[in-house]
């Protein structure tokens, strides 16, 4: 479905319009100091699903959540003294911390792709900071490019890649960084190299960041060990067999449904909550109704196939 894409200079009125759209569950492209991000309300699962729809990502990678300050970050995730030191030193700035996720954070489960950790950063770019303040919610934002395309550092890069897919691009000029944020885990491993290097961190904080063997770094999409339920999972199920918890979709009702109306945005938003629920049920097996492979359905099916694969 094509939409009109407007690019507006990121003045006060445009930021207010962007915040209004975020509140309405849309996603908006916004400059950060690293690359342009495609931002949506991280507490609204359907809004987050629209990020994946716009990017046409073939699967669900956990996303980075942007917050205005350390206090807000601490309501969402757990810190220890080392990660607190990193946050105090490098936020606002191009550092993302992957931390234990608090149960009561209010963040939609699609953001973390069902994991019990969450990637957080406090961005430095004035436009992103103004949008965080105006929107008043944490913003999930991956780079604002279609899947498989390079990360955008200018509004016209975003328009070339996502034009017709998103309603609004805030133009804040060129991102000065151009390289995505450094990602560091709770146990101080380098998950993605970026502008803030381990040697600089050592110098400035005394903390040792462990790098991957031989300097090799895994592809970003493979960084997260993806959540999969611990029970066997059967796909394309039209009805539950004995001892199965059935996750329905559309006409297949099930014990719970991804979306009774067959809406793929709603289904994506519900996917990880339904899987966790099925895993916690008293039945030893899980079955899932067929989901069409169109649009967001491809990403849903990709995740379901991974969850069903024998381990
Ligand atoms: O500079 C940046 O970080 C940009 C701007 C827009 O802020 N954002 C960005 O987001 O690069 P994205 O979605 O393209 O990259 C997110 C990365 C992925 O490699 C993902 O695997 C990792 O963060 N990630 C997110 N949550 C994670 C988690 N819980 N555990 C491990 N890795 C995680
Ligand atoms: Mg990216």
């Amino acid at each position: 479905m094509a939409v009109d894409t407007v690019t507006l200079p990121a003045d006060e009125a445009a930021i207010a319009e962007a915040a209004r759209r975020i509140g309405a569950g849309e996603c908006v492209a916004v400059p950060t100091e690293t690359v342009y991000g495609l931002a949506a309300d991280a507490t609204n699962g359907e809004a987050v699903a629209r990020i994946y729809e716009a990017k046409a990502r073939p699967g669900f990678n956990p996303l980075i959540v942007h917050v205005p300050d350390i206090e807000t970050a601490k309501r969402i995730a757990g810190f220890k003294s080392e990660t607190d030191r990193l946050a105090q030193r490098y936020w606002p700035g191009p550092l993302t911390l992957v931390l234990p996720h608090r149960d009561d954070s209010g963040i939609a489960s699609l953001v973390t792709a069902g994991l019990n950790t969450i990637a957080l950063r406090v961005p430095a770019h004035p436009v992103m900071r103004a949008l965080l303040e105006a929107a008043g919610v944490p913003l999930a934002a991956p780079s604002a490019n279609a899947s498989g395309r390079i990360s955008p550092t200018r509004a016209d890069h975003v328009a070339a890649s996502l034009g017709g897919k998103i309603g609004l691009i805030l133009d804040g000029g060129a991102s000065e960084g151009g390289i995505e944020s450094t990602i560091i885990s709770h146990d101080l491993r380098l998950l993605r190299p970026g502008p803030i290097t381990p040697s600089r961190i050592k110098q400035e904080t005394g903390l040792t960041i462990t790098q991957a063997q031989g300097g090799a770094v895994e592809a970003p999409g493979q960084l997260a060990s993806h959540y999969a339920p611990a029970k066997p999972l059967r796909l394309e199920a039209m009805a539950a067999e004995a001892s199965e918890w059935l996750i329905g979709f559309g006409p297949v009702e099930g014990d719970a449904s991804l979306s009774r109306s067959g809406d793929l945005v709603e289904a994506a938003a519900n996917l990880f909550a339904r899987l966790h629920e099925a895993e916690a049920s008293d039945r030893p097996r899980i079955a899932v109704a067929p989901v069409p492979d169109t649009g967001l359905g491809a990403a849903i099916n990709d995740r379901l196939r991974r969850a069903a694969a024998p381990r």
Side-chain angles (χ1 to χ4, degrees):
M1 193 179 51
V3 297
D4 283 335
T5 304
V6 208
T7 299
L8 296 174
D11 58 17
E12 214 172 304
I15 287 165
E17 170 63 12
R20 189 195 64 73
R21 287 175 183 252
I22 297 275
E26 283 183 44
C27 44
V28 169
V30 57
T32 83
E33 71 275 31
T34 57
V35 299
Y36 273 67
L38 185 58
D41 177 355
T43 67
N44 177 343
E46 295 192 19
V48 175
R50 291 191 186 98
I51 293 178
Y52 288 99
E53 192 177 42
K55 283 179 64 99
R57 254 195 190 175
F60 299 117
N61 259 344
L63 303 176
I64 296 171
V65 173
H66 300 69
V67 291
D69 47 45
I70 297 184
E71 293 66 54
T72 309
K74 287 185 174 173
R75 289 201 288 273
I76 296 174
F79 286 72
K80 56 183 182 182
S81 67
E82 291 89 344
T83 46
D84 186 59
R85 186 137 41 112
L86 290 172
Q88 300 288 350
R89 171 79 207 200
Y90 297 108
W91 284 353
L95 175 71
T96 294
L97 295 172
V98 172
L99 302 167
H101 186 189
R102 288 191 191 286
D103 290 339
D104 60 351
S105 73
I107 301 294
S109 59
L110 187 58
V111 170
T112 57
L115 298 173
N116 56 12
T117 52
I118 186 164
L120 290 179
R121 103 175 172 94
V122 175
H125 196 288
V127 173
M128 182 52 146
R129 295 190 63 75
L131 181 59
L132 279 166
E133 189 184 337
V137 288
L139 295 174
S143 50
N145 52 288
S147 183
R149 305 277 298 272
I150 56 161
S151 294
T153 52
R154 294 192 330 230
D156 62 303
H157 295 163
V158 181
S161 173
L162 295 177
K165 310 268 191 239
I166 60 175
L168 177 61
I169 301 168
L170 288 178
D171 186 351
S175 288
E176 51 191 55
I179 294 170
E180 279 113 330
S181 61
T182 302
I183 305 182
I184 291 174
S185 67
H186 192 61
D187 56 1
L188 307 190
R189 278 179 303 119
L190 183 68
L191 299 183
R192 178 172 76 182
I196 297 174
T197 60
S199 60
R200 181 174 154 200
I201 292 172
K202 181 78 187 170
Q203 232 167 43
E204 293 174 347
T205 67
L207 293 169
T208 302
I209 306 300
T210 318
Q211 300 198 53
Q213 289 286 322
V217 173
E218 303 152 86
Q222 297 169 345
L223 288 177
S225 55
H226 285 302
Y227 163 74
K231 293 177 176 176
L233 190 146
R234 183 170 68 89
L235 302 177
E236 312 279 334
M238 300 305 294
E241 291 174 0
S243 75
E244 278 179 344
W245 176 275
L246 177 62
I247 300 175
F249 178 83
V252 179
E253 283 215 0
D255 295 284
S257 181
L258 291 171
S259 166
R260 294 208 188 280
S261 63
D263 179 64
L264 290 168
V265 170
E266 186 185 9
N270 285 333
L271 178 62
F272 292 99
R274 290 294 101 86
L275 286 172
H276 278 290
E277 204 172 276
E279 191 176 4
S281 87
D282 57 4
R283 278 168 249 165
R285 318 180 76 79
I286 306 170
V288 188
V291 174
D293 217 37
T294 51
L296 269 177
I300 295 172
N301 284 325
D302 170 77
R303 174 41 48 101
L304 287 173
R305 278 192 296 271
R306 288 168 198 272
R311 264 154 288 132

